[in-house]
Amino acid sequence: VSNKWISQLTDNVNNIHRAINSQIERELSIRKNGKYIDAYSQMKDHRNAMLDAYTTDGVHLTKIGYEKLSHSVISDLLSD
């Protein structure tokens, strides 16, 4: 597998991720009690891929990833 192929695949996954998040944000903005918490932006690298410390495979979180996620969610909810 070439690095170019992996890079293109990563870019495609990141584009899908951004599109899904944009749709979720739009849907939640319509609802009165909806809240979107972007924990992913705190766990990504310069290519928008999840940092290795937080994931086992680019999708599923490690223990450290879940700790970061829960901290992000709790911090965001308490800030309101």
Side-chain angles (χ1 to χ4, degrees):
V1 178
S2 72
N3 286 340
K4 182 178 180 182
W5 184 84
I6 292 171
S7 179
Q8 289 173 337
L9 180 62
T10 300
D11 290 343
N12 289 338
V13 169
N14 288 333
N15 288 336
I16 292 168
H17 179 262
R18 281 192 292 277
I20 291 169
N21 280 344
S22 293
Q23 183 63 33
I24 291 169
E25 286 180 271
R26 280 192 296 277
E27 293 292 327
L28 287 175
S29 69
I30 295 169
R31 301 171 190 212
K32 293 184 179 188
N33 294 325
K35 180 169 180 72
Y36 176 78
I37 299 171
D38 179 16
Y40 185 77
S41 66
Q42 298 174 24
M43 296 191 284
K44 65 181 184 170
D45 65 13
H46 66 282
R47 294 182 350 212
N48 289 324
M50 195 177 303
L51 292 165
D52 289 342
Y54 300 125
T55 183
T56 59
D57 58 7
V59 176
H60 300 96
L61 297 176
T62 62
K63 180 181 177 187
I64 295 170
Y66 279 110
E67 289 170 356
K68 179 72 170 175
L69 174 64
S70 60
H71 177 74
S72 297
V73 170
I74 290 168
S75 295
D76 197 275
L77 290 174
L78 292 177
S79 69
D80 288 345

